[in-house]
Amino acid sequence: MGARKSRGCCCWFFVFLFTAAVILAVAITIEKKFEQSHPAAPPVPGPPGAITKKYADALNIATQFFDVQKSGELVNNKIPWRGDSALKDGITEKVDLSKGMYDAGDSMKFNFPMAFTATVLSWAILEYGDQMNVVKQLEPAQDSLKWITDYLINCHPSENVLYIQVGDAEVDHKCWQKPETMTEERPITQVNASSPGTEVAAETAAALASASLVFKKINSTYSRMLLKHAEQIFTFADTYRGSYSVSIPEVQTYYNSTGYGDELLWAASWLYHATGENSYLKYLIGENGKEFANTGAIQHGLVGIASMLELRVSFFGGKEISDADSIGLQMYRRTAEALMCSLLPDSPLASPDRTAGGMIWVSQWNALQHTVGSAFLAVLYSDYMLSSQTAALYCNGKTYTYANLRNFAISQADYVLGNNAMEMSYLVGYGNKYPEYVHHRGASIPANAKTGCKGFKWLESTEPNPNVAVGALVGGPFLNESYIDSRNNSMQGEPTTYNSAVIVGLLSSLVTTSSVVRSFT
């Protein structure tokens, strides 16, 4: 009970965002070198400007969902109906896997989406930490990130061994109970040299490398430890190539993978940022880039390939890139432009995959992941244009500015927060009307209830959840913009941590008029 129909659909979203990274800044980098003429450059952005209250309020709410999802011993617990849970996770292998986060409304720890959550949260902090700080959300975001990375470090006990899951999904989804009362066995799953899992290992490397940049100035010892693990795990992922969906077939029901090339590029990109080592750049533009970064693969008007926000650092004043390397990176520019042009609603290349109200809509399962992801990428591209004084984006002969992309991002954020046909906020806790029957075990069961595994009366209850899963971004509306607020409707009503990471990034980008930092270093 409670499983979403093949969470593998979420991996399409991972692919979608993986692409964005090299894509966004690489496109700007290449455009700077090769554009012959363009309109006047936009103004150089200054420090954080006036706060937009609705986005500040929404960001304050969105960051709290990470606290709702925490496993382990909850220090300074901010969620009154949550308590310590899964304290013995990893004990059978003599490792402490008690931390980390439950990925959705269940009590599983799936490291593939958890690592992705950490990478995107790191990305958001690195780009928009100054804006988060203005509204006092930087420290909570950093604390949530460290809760995940502490766990991921412990999941890597030796160079070629990586634990990638805690709990038996089949057993877990036959229960409806609070994580605090779990008594069933919690087995842990690993990938290793003989049973590889390149995509989940590479995503873990990306998470730790990006987080090493977040903590570089505030905890240098921890940052170095993160980077050491990231480099070792990337070497393991690249040396022992194989899909974890093949090595461990049972994962196909939840977070299936159809390939690992996107994650390898994503990880190499973050490692290039974190280390400055040219070998990672060569990885992106050499045979691996040619094999994995097929710019022709545009899916649903968005992106179906993989990469990362590589080379922004060189354009914004960091390491120099040769003309030969720049030419090698043009494949990412073409994909970036296609992606951005597909998102703009009046572009000649606009994707038709959107609702009548203008929401980007790709899949009926967890539809808002694509909406919010699209908006986050658009505002990043807009801010890269602004920070680099790049004047224009060209879409089949039509010219667009950074403001056009920002306005698109705002339209998607406002849709999520209530400017939609249902007149409902899909961010739980924000506004006067939001989902009350969220598909979430802990939120659905009273704090003092003793259910054991079989608390299904709370799943079937016609009463709203007794606990508010504050900050949860639910799956969202169908294509016809309807939403059925039912606890049994996991397709629309189950929140995830990776949704939260992206909405935190989007709201942080909109909370003031500032733009992105020029360098991560």
Side-chain angles (χ1 to χ4, degrees):
M1 297 284 296
R4 289 189 293 283
K5 178 184 177 183
S6 181
R7 293 187 190 176
C9 67
C10 301
C11 287
W12 186 94
F13 179 55
F14 296 169
V15 170
F16 166 43
L17 270 185
F18 291 149
T19 306
V22 175
I23 279 180
L24 294 185
V26 166
I28 302 300
T29 303
I30 301 300
E31 185 163 343
K32 183 75 173 180
K33 286 181 174 285
F34 291 95
E35 197 66 57
Q36 298 300 312
S37 61
H38 48 68
V44 177
I51 294 171
T52 303
K53 186 177 185 301
K54 65 178 176 181
Y55 299 134
D57 291 346
L59 178 60
N60 176 272
I61 289 167
T63 56
Q64 294 181 59
F65 189 62
F66 297 122
D67 290 324
V68 170
Q69 297 302 98
K70 284 181 177 178
S71 167
E73 183 179 356
L74 303 185
V75 181
N76 300 321
N77 181 22
K78 301 181 178 100
I79 308 299
W81 49 273
R82 279 302 322 280
D84 297 347
S85 63
L87 296 179
K88 295 183 179 180
D89 277 2
I91 194 170
T92 57
E93 299 293 327
K94 298 181 173 56
V95 291
D96 179 7
L97 303 183
S98 60
K99 280 189 173 182
M101 294 184 186
Y102 307 117
D103 81 302
D106 52 27
S107 300
M108 289 295 298
K109 295 178 191 174
F110 293 111
N111 286 23
F112 195 16
M114 195 192 311
F116 177 79
T117 297
T119 313
V120 174
L121 185 56
S122 293
W123 192 10
I125 293 170
L126 290 167
E127 300 284 18
Y128 299 113
D130 58 342
Q131 288 157 250
M132 291 180 176
N133 194 45
V134 168
V135 292
K136 297 179 172 58
Q137 294 307 308
L138 177 58
E139 187 174 335
Q142 291 169 332
D143 289 346
S144 295
L145 175 62
K146 191 173 184 296
W147 199 268
I148 297 176
T149 54
D150 284 352
Y151 164 82
L152 293 177
I153 287 172
N154 287 354
C155 285
H156 184 227
S158 60
E159 288 192 23
N160 296 330
V161 173
L162 183 68
Y163 298 117
I164 56 97
Q165 180 176 305
V166 180
D168 183 318
E170 184 176 354
V171 171
D172 184 87
H173 287 83
K174 289 178 180 178
C175 290
W176 193 267
Q177 65 181 332
K178 299 179 296 180
E180 291 82 358
T181 62
M182 289 187 296
T183 58
E184 66 273 12
E185 186 178 347
R186 301 266 293 170
I188 60 178
T189 304
Q190 70 170 248
V191 293
N192 51 51
S194 59
S195 183
T198 295
E199 55 277 92
V200 65
E203 183 55 55
T204 304
L208 298 179
S210 57
S212 76
L213 288 165
V214 171
F215 295 106
K216 188 172 183 178
K217 293 182 179 179
I218 57 178
N219 189 336
S220 60
T221 300
Y222 187 66
S223 174
R224 287 192 296 271
M225 180 169 59
L226 289 168
L227 187 55
K228 178 181 178 181
H229 281 277
E231 292 183 292
Q232 289 181 352
I233 295 170
F234 179 77
T235 298
F236 162 59
D238 194 38
T239 302
Y240 300 97
R241 290 188 181 183
S243 173
Y244 93 133
S245 291
V246 175
S247 297
I248 311 167
E250 53 267 32
V251 305
Q252 296 174 21
T253 305
Y254 300 96
Y255 292 103
N256 187 35
S257 173
T258 57
Y260 51 73
D262 46 2
E263 288 88 0
L264 284 172
L265 296 180
W266 173 249
S269 300
W270 277 115
L271 282 163
Y272 176 70
H273 279 287
T275 66
E277 292 182 10
N278 198 52
S279 60
Y280 294 115
L281 172 60
K282 297 301 183 184
Y283 192 99
L284 291 166
I285 63 177
E287 291 305 313
N288 293 292
K290 293 173 184 176
E291 180 180 357
F292 300 135
N294 173 17
T295 58
I298 303 296
Q299 183 180 30
H300 299 297
L302 299 176
V303 180
I305 61 163
S307 307
M308 189 248 159
L309 89 152
E310 189 43 57
L311 306 184
R312 70 182 302 290
V313 66
S314 71
F315 188 71
F316 291 147
K319 183 178 177 186
E320 286 298 319
I321 299 170
S322 70
D323 288 342
D325 289 343
S326 294
I327 292 170
L329 286 163
Q330 287 185 77
M331 58 185 173
Y332 296 111
R333 178 195 180 186
R334 290 191 293 270
T335 304
E337 291 172 344
L339 170 60
M340 292 300 115
C341 290
S342 76
L343 297 179
L344 291 165
D346 63 344
S347 162
L349 304 174
S351 167
D353 295 320
R354 60 192 83 211
T355 69
M359 167 193 158
I360 290 289
W361 194 96
V362 174
S363 168
Q364 64 183 353
W365 284 89
N366 195 10
L368 285 178
Q369 62 180 334
H370 305 289
T371 308
V372 178
S374 299
F376 180 53
L377 300 184
V379 79
L380 272 172
Y381 195 106
S382 170
D383 284 341
Y384 290 158
M385 291 178 69
L386 187 60
S387 290
S388 63
Q389 293 188 279
T390 300
L393 168 70
Y394 300 95
C395 301
N396 200 21
K398 194 169 181 180
T399 302
Y400 296 92
T401 69
Y402 73 94
N404 297 123
L405 286 165
R406 187 176 183 86
N407 288 338
F408 164 76
I410 288 170
S411 74
Q412 303 302 289
D414 288 351
Y415 189 103
V416 171
L417 297 181
N419 186 19
N420 55 61
M422 297 295 293
E423 297 182 341
M424 168 188 285
S425 165
Y426 292 113
L427 181 67
V428 175
Y430 180 84
N432 297 321
K433 180 183 178 184
Y434 49 80
E436 296 183 311
Y437 295 81
V438 178
H439 183 91
H440 190 280
R441 288 164 174 73
S444 72
I445 302 172
N448 59 356
K450 307 295 182 184
T451 65
C453 178
K454 304 297 182 181
F456 290 105
K457 73 173 186 177
W458 301 109
L459 171 63
E460 303 297 339
S461 171
T462 58
E463 296 296 318
N465 286 348
N467 309 309
V468 177
V470 61
L473 180 65
V474 296
F478 289 136
L479 182 58
N480 66 4
E481 301 193 287
S482 66
Y483 180 86
I484 301 168
D485 193 12
S486 167
R487 201 172 292 112
N488 266 308
N489 181 15
S490 58
M491 182 185 292
Q492 291 187 289
E494 187 167 14
T496 64
T497 56
Y498 44 92
N499 279 12
S500 292
V502 183
I503 191 67
V504 164
L506 175 59
L507 293 170
S508 297
S509 74
L510 299 177
V511 76
T512 84
T513 56
S514 179
S515 189
V516 295
V517 297
R518 297 182 66 85
S519 174
F520 291 160
T521 58

